[in-house]
Amino acid sequence: MLMEEILLDKERKKGVDSGQPQWAVDIILLNDGASSEALDFLAESDSVCADKIVVALDHDTPSGSVAVSARQRKLINFAKKHGTVFFNGEGAAYQLMLDKLLQPGQLAVSCGDHTATLGAAGAVVFSISPKQLAEVMKTGLLSLPMPPVAPVEVSGALRLGVTGKDAALHFVSKAGLEKFAGKIIAFYGTALDRLSFPDKMALCNLAQRTGAVSALIVAGGGGQECLYRLEMDKVEPLIAGPDGFTEVMPVGNVRGVKVNEVFIGGCGGGRIEDLRTADRIIRGKQVAEGLRLLIAPATADTYVEALREGLIDDFIDCGAVIMNQGCSVCWGKSQGILDDGEVLLSAGSYNDKGRAGSENAKIYLSSVITAAESALAGHITNAAGKGA
């Protein structure tokens, strides 16, 4: 299988102390999220593998607090000192990696709950602790036992109006939050050929919610015993929440729930394909009175393309607020903050309790289609899922 082939190709030696295999890492990603804490485990005298390190400011751009400004300054100074690749507010790091750097068959490391997004490119990407990340920065090697592989066969085809985000939510719902603990999910099957790249990204983006350490798309596949089957033709428009993934349900189950804010953007919902989908739904219409529709293109390139295609004009005309490229509201620390009792419907990647403001607010997670239709209605809805 591709995953084992990648790791075996990267294996260098056994660790002297741990006896674990050590894998040669191709890319080490730091951003102004959790991975920035790796710098706290480095001494001034430490040398690093600068040619492997990528620094990206993407979570809170421009900075929304003094604490984030200090964190970003530390990253900027580090990138300058060592001459690393540096993305300064150009958008969500995962999308930038896929667009500009990451190649199939590479091994990458970072920190975060959605590093597996990069597995859509056929790379193996591990989320590790900041302390582990600092060690990899110094040696270029990752000490880790060979994780067990969990083959997941993908079959069938998505119905009209159903998206890769719905399929990802379906997978998390059926698999549960612990079924793949400690494993790498390997999605395979000829049905993957019918999926767009953004749909493949969506599958990998939420895969770690099942307890998996990573996930990737495997070309071809077959001839192996699968741990789980994902039948795309059985997927319907779904929604997760509020406040996490313990409840994933058909959109119709929460039909009519009033929404105060809708977010379409970030690495989970801000690709150009996502913005085109949202535009087809809202063009020429108006968002519901009193509702805040916030849209953040995933990257600067996405932003420019959306401008060229007239999408930004359409969004502004419908009453949306256009945010900076990057994580934006999905980061949940300085933009789109919720008051007590408010409801956010996000097409991003996070819906944890208190993620975007008040602990007494509620956050649901859905596809871009559900988010855009709900922004017009003022309540949760999806015509494809009979949620209208």
Side-chain angles (χ1 to χ4, degrees), residues 197-235:
F197 189 73
D199 283 339
K200 294 174 183 177
M201 284 181 63
L203 272 183
C204 292
N205 180 262
L206 295 182
Q208 286 168 256
R209 293 292 182 172
T210 65
V213 295
S214 193
L216 77 162
I217 301 295
V218 177
Q224 56 201 306
E225 184 179 353
C226 69
L227 182 63
Y228 183 87
R229 282 186 173 83
L230 176 54
E231 298 171 286
M232 291 296 202
D233 52 320
K234 294 185 178 180
V235 178

Side-chain angles (χ1 to χ4, degrees), residues 90-119:
E90 295 178 47
Y94 298 148
Q95 189 67 53
L96 290 169
M97 294 272 286
L98 290 167
D99 291 346
K100 300 176 182 292
L101 293 175
L102 193 72
Q103 299 296 317
Q106 287 190 318
L107 175 62
V109 292
S110 188
C111 307
D113 299 320
H114 303 105
T115 54
T117 304
L118 302 178

Side-chain angles (χ1 to χ4, degrees), residues 162-203:
V162 181
T163 71
K165 174 67 77 62
D166 296 310
L169 291 172
H170 175 88
F171 177 64
V172 173
S173 173
K174 298 301 181 184
L177 305 184
E178 298 179 358
K179 184 179 182 69
F180 294 95
K183 299 180 174 66
I184 291 183
I185 296 171
F187 293 108
Y188 76 96
T190 56
L192 290 171
D193 296 336
R194 293 190 287 269
L195 288 184
S196 67
F197 189 73
D199 283 339
K200 294 174 183 177
M201 284 181 63
L203 272 183

Side-chain angles (χ1 to χ4, degrees), residues 119-144:
V124 174
V125 187
F126 289 114
S127 176
I128 57 179
S129 71
K131 186 175 183 179
Q132 288 174 303
L133 195 65
E135 289 303 311
V136 178
M137 290 166 65
K138 289 188 285 186
T139 65
L141 298 172
L142 172 65
S143 295
L144 192 76

Side-chain angles (χ1 to χ4, degrees), residues 55-374:
V55 176
L57 305 185
D58 66 343
H59 275 53
D60 197 359
T61 54
S63 169
S65 71
V66 173
V68 170
S69 293
R71 180 185 304 171
Q72 291 183 350
R73 175 54 55 190
K74 200 169 184 178
L75 286 165
I76 292 168
N77 291 342
F78 176 85
K80 284 182 177 179
K81 176 181 177 180
H82 296 285
T84 72
V85 174
F86 180 49
F87 293 115
N88 188 8
E90 295 178 47
Y94 298 148
Q95 189 67 53
L96 290 169
M97 294 272 286
L98 290 167
D99 291 346
K100 300 176 182 292
L101 293 175
L102 193 72
Q103 299 296 317
Q106 287 190 318
L107 175 62
V109 292
S110 188
C111 307
D113 299 320
H114 303 105
T115 54
T117 304
L118 302 178
V124 174
V125 187
F126 289 114
S127 176
I128 57 179
S129 71
K131 186 175 183 179
Q132 288 174 303
L133 195 65
E135 289 303 311
V136 178
M137 290 166 65
K138 289 188 285 186
T139 65
L141 298 172
L142 172 65
S143 295
L144 192 76
M146 175 76 82
V149 178
V152 173
E153 183 179 10
V154 183
S155 63
L158 293 172
R159 294 180 285 114
L160 184 65
V162 181
T163 71
K165 174 67 77 62
D166 296 310
L169 291 172
H170 175 88
F171 177 64
V172 173
S173 173
K174 298 301 181 184
L177 305 184
E178 298 179 358
K179 184 179 182 69
F180 294 95
K183 299 180 174 66
I184 291 183
I185 296 171
F187 293 108
Y188 76 96
T190 56
L192 290 171
D193 296 336
R194 293 190 287 269
L195 288 184
S196 67
F197 189 73
D199 283 339
K200 294 174 183 177
M201 284 181 63
L203 272 183
C204 292
N205 180 262
L206 295 182
Q208 286 168 256
R209 293 292 182 172
T210 65
V213 295
S214 193
L216 77 162
I217 301 295
V218 177
Q224 56 201 306
E225 184 179 353
C226 69
L227 182 63
Y228 183 87
R229 282 186 173 83
L230 176 54
E231 298 171 286
M232 291 296 202
D233 52 320
K234 294 185 178 180
V235 178
E236 60 183 313
L238 297 172
I239 194 164
D243 309 327
F245 289 78
T246 54
E247 289 188 81
V248 177
M249 67 203 87
V251 173
N253 285 22
V254 284
R255 178 182 58 206
V257 171
K258 182 183 176 183
V259 177
N260 303 98
E261 181 172 295
V262 171
F263 174 63
I264 297 174
C267 69
R271 297 170 289 270
I272 190 62
E273 295 87 353
D274 298 319
L275 301 187
R276 289 169 182 155
T277 295
D279 183 70
R280 285 194 293 271
I281 294 169
I282 69 173
R283 185 189 303 131
K285 301 181 178 69
Q286 287 289 306
V287 301
E289 185 177 0
L291 181 141
R292 308 185 295 273
L293 172 57
L294 310 180
I295 296 178
T299 67
D301 288 343
T302 303
Y303 205 136
V304 171
E305 182 58 32
L307 282 166
R308 287 194 186 111
E309 296 182 17
L311 308 184
I312 300 300
D313 287 348
D314 290 343
F315 295 147
I316 291 174
D317 288 344
C318 85
V321 175
I322 312 304
M323 315 292 283
N324 304 306
Q325 63 269 16
C327 300
S328 189
V329 177
C330 201
W331 166 234
K333 298 295 187 291
S334 68
Q335 297 175 326
I337 299 301
L338 303 175
D339 191 12
D340 282 358
E342 287 197 310
V343 174
L344 164 64
L345 177 58
S346 173
S349 304
Y350 281 109
N351 68 333
D352 309 303
K353 185 177 180 63
R355 184 77 191 184
S358 171
E359 290 282 332
N360 296 320
K362 296 186 182 301
I363 307 174
Y364 292 87
L365 198 71
S366 76
S367 72
V368 168
I369 292 176
T370 298
E373 291 190 0
S374 300

